Amino acid sequence: MTSPALVWFRQDLRLADNPALAALDGRPALLVYVLDDEAAGAWAHGGAQRWWLHHSLASLTADLAARGASLHLARGPATRIIPQLATAIGASEVIAGRLYEPWARSRDAAIAEALQAEGRKLSLHTSSLLHEPHRIRTGTGKPYSVYTPFSRALFALGEPPPPLPTPARIETLAHPGLPLEALELLPKRDWAREFPQHWQPGEAGAAARIKAFSLLNRYDATRNLPGIPGTSGLSPHLRFGEISPRQLWHAARAAGVTGDATFLKEILWREFAYHLLWHRPELPEAPLQQSFANFPWQPDAKLLRAWQRGQTGYPIVDAGMRQLWRSGWMHNRVRMITASFLVKHLLQPWQAGEAWFWDTLLDGDLASNAASWQWVAGCGADAAPYFRVFAPVLQGEKFDADGAYVRRWVPEIAGLPDKFLHKPWEAPEIILRGANIRLGVDYPRPVMDHGQGRARALAAYAEMRGAAP
Ligand SMILES: Cc1cc2nc3c(=O)[nH]c(=O)nc-3n(C[C@H](O)[C@H](O)[C@H](O)COP(=O)(O)OP(=O)(O)OC[C@H]3O[C@@H](n4cnc5c(N)ncnc54)[C@H](O)[C@@H]3O)c2cc1C
């Protein structure tokens, strides 16, 4: 009789293109998800991610039940739970998709060792990336630290293999586990109440989202416009592995995306972030450029809070921060604007912004979040030069010219004419009155003057470099 296996779902909550399921090859298996907050420490799922995870696990359970299969849920240290379950069912092999977070890597190493001591093995498959970060090297055998040659190297590897089909049959072993509610993933205070208007977690939701992304072939023209659905909105689905990057790549090709199109390059930015995390595990906590270790940040709880709450007085910044709070997601262009505003105009450490995004983003992803914050702060690999300070008014006027985005998320200033929408403080009193706005009462005055903020940021940079401003 073939011995059973244990399939450990982690960041691949899907049935299609799931190499761990494919590796079963007809063997019976116990399918397991373990909520292991302790191992992840500071990088345990943030609040928004927990909401998504709850619904994603519900969806996966339902998809499995429709095939007569079941998912075993557990909570606690996986280093204890996985070996125990493997012993209980007599599994010869534990199969999972590989994880890349530093905490997950050391946990996997410990589990592999524990299993090996009992004559079992841990098999890890490439499931949430196109390529293993440790396999990609420059001509001189080093990891990449610059995106463009990295992406060129990935394109040169050719098309990723086609996605695997959903297994026709999954024979699961029953083993009593916890009910989903016992994972306590949903927020106690109902701040996530608007999420269901925007999202459908689960594999079917991911498939529906791709199908609905009608602007894919106009991505270059639409991807920077936050007022329209010009990007795919697939990031939370990718984050939880309800769709694999391979499936997304091939879906884009099938929809007519050719060559090294920008959309594919964005998928490779995600790969690049994981490449950095793998080779520089300090990425989420410490600047990759040593010179930034002593940057003269000016931590200020009041300014940080104004930014978090979308009360900075800069409409494009406030719109982004409110979109994040209410929908659990923010448009990429606005992520760059809001992040730049925090680290440059307000001189708050990038780690404070990274932590807020981690808690509030449904797509909170250790690699992409950390790499992007370091990119904006100018201290990462291949980062934007520090002295490039996003001007929030110009950014708003350029990318939200008709004001659709700001009017949606900052409704109290919706009545302003386009001319003043991105700079209400310049509107004459009569215009403000006509739009029912008392500046400083209904909507804040800017917490920081743009020119002053920019000059202060550049002075701080000069101080760091040991030069006179
Ligand atoms: C400060 C900051 C923090 C960020 N934090 C995260 C995060 O925690 N999780 C996350 O997934 N992305 C993060 N991003 C990257 C990017 O903003 C999102 O991936 C993108 O907005 C997701 O929307 P979409 O799915 O519609 O993207 P699309 O434009 O449709 O792109 C398709 C996919 O490509 C990937 N992608 C696109 N742009 C990037 C990028 N710049 N870096 C890495 N991958 C990218 C995503 O997986 C995305 O789903 C961050 C960016 C910034 C500036």
Side-chain angles (χ1 to χ4, degrees):
M1 200 185 108
T2 32
S3 69
L6 189 155
V7 171
W8 183 11
F9 281 92
R10 289 128 53 110
Q11 289 172 21
D12 41 13
L13 305 181
R14 64 178 183 274
L15 303 184
D17 197 33
N18 189 323
L21 289 178
L24 282 177
D25 206 16
R27 279 178 291 173
L30 181 68
L31 311 185
V32 179
Y33 183 87
V34 183
L35 182 70
D36 184 359
D37 289 334
E38 220 170 276
W43 301 115
H45 296 101
Q49 291 172 56
R50 289 173 82 86
W51 177 89
W52 189 285
L53 180 59
H54 176 95
H55 294 289
S56 190
L57 288 172
S59 167
L60 181 62
T61 303
D63 291 347
L64 285 167
R67 290 171 169 74
S70 60
L71 181 66
H72 174 102
L73 297 177
R75 184 177 186 179
T79 44
R80 174 177 55 77
I81 292 169
I82 293 295
Q84 266 178 5
L85 286 173
T87 307
I89 62 160
S92 55
E93 189 182 12
V94 172
I95 316 170
R98 192 185 298 280
L99 299 181
Y100 305 93
E101 292 78 1
W103 63 265
R105 286 167 69 180
S106 48
R107 186 183 63 172
D108 281 351
I111 291 173
E113 205 176 301
L115 290 172
Q116 206 180 11
E118 297 210 336
R120 310 179 206 283
K121 67 172 178 177
L122 175 65
S123 305
L124 298 177
H125 293 260
T126 313
S127 189
S128 54
L129 291 180
L130 295 171
H131 301 281
E132 289 296 345
H134 57 275
R135 297 249 166 82
I136 309 292
R137 297 272 168 182
T138 65
T140 57
K142 296 206 175 94
Y144 282 91
S145 55
V146 181
Y147 169 77
T148 303
F150 171 84
S151 65
R152 254 192 241 123
L154 260 56
F155 276 117
L157 289 172
E159 293 295 286
L164 302 161
T166 304
R169 241 185 100 250
I170 309 170
E171 189 191 328
T172 55
L173 304 170
H175 193 79
L178 295 174
L180 181 55
E181 287 64 34
L183 302 189
E184 297 179 293
L185 292 165
L186 293 177
K188 298 217 163 45
R189 232 185 80 216
D190 194 18
W191 57 270
R193 65 186 167 281
E194 287 184 38
F195 289 3
Q197 291 170 25
H198 303 275
W199 306 103
Q200 183 198 342
E203 203 169 353
R209 179 75 67 170
I210 299 193
K211 227 168 130 198
F213 184 33
S214 59
L215 291 175
L216 178 56
N217 281 303
R218 294 186 48 219
Y219 184 75
D220 279 356
T222 62
R223 72 192 183 104
N224 272 314
L225 307 177
I228 58 168
T231 67
S232 71
L234 278 162
S235 49
H237 297 285
L238 276 164
R239 159 68 179 90
F240 288 92
E242 297 162 356
I243 179 174
S244 70
R246 208 154 59 166
Q247 285 174 294
L248 181 55
W249 184 286
H250 286 287
R253 285 287 191 231
V257 168
T258 55
D260 61 351
T262 312
F263 186 73
L264 302 180
K265 285 185 180 152
E266 295 299 337
I267 300 176
L268 298 190
W269 268 107
R270 180 175 176 275
E271 297 274 318
F272 184 55
Y274 276 95
H275 187 76
L276 291 177
L277 182 64
W278 182 267
H279 294 288
R280 304 288 302 271
E282 74 274 27
L283 179 75
E285 281 102 22
L288 294 187
Q289 291 180 36
Q290 263 303 310
S291 54
F292 275 80
N294 295 319
F295 191 89
W297 303 111
Q298 296 185 20
D300 180 322
K302 235 172 110 191
L303 285 177
L304 179 62
R305 194 161 172 79
W307 176 81
Q308 290 170 337
R309 297 288 163 208
Q311 295 287 345
T312 68
Y314 284 92
I316 190 76
V317 173
D318 294 340
M321 298 310 294
R322 297 183 197 186
Q323 179 183 30
L324 174 60
W325 180 253
R326 287 176 48 196
S327 75
W329 185 88
M330 194 198 301
H331 187 277
N332 180 59
R333 165 64 45 185
V334 192
R335 291 188 202 201
M336 292 193 285
I337 299 169
T338 54
S340 171
F341 188 79
L342 183 76
V343 295
K344 300 200 174 158
H345 289 84
L346 302 186
L347 277 186
Q348 301 307 296
W350 60 269
Q351 292 94 333
E354 181 197 27
W356 182 254
F357 271 30
W358 181 257
D359 203 26
T360 52
L361 273 173
L362 291 162
D363 66 24
D365 171 299
L366 195 62
S368 297
N369 196 33
S372 303
W373 274 97
Q374 292 225 27
W375 184 88
V376 173
C379 57
D382 197 13
Y386 182 84
F387 52 79
R388 200 169 291 157
V389 179
F390 279 68
V393 174
L394 293 182
Q395 290 282 321
E397 288 173 345
K398 184 163 176 200
F399 297 110
D400 185 36
D402 65 1
Y405 183 70
V406 160
R407 287 196 174 89
R408 174 165 185 200
W409 296 106
V410 193
E412 67 268 36
I413 58 167
L416 279 175
D418 289 356
K419 187 174 171 201
F420 296 111
L421 187 67
H422 291 285
K423 44 185 179 197
W425 60 92
E426 284 191 12
E429 197 47 45
I430 187 165
I431 299 255
L432 287 171
R433 222 176 300 137
N436 267 332
I437 301 165
R438 288 161 302 163
L439 220 50
V441 179
D442 303 310
Y443 183 70
R445 293 180 194 283
V447 289
M448 171 66 61
D449 171 74
H450 168 60
Q452 265 175 21
R454 186 172 184 282
R456 204 171 64 133
L458 296 181
Y461 181 61
E463 186 186 326
M464 177 196 86
R465 289 169 53 103

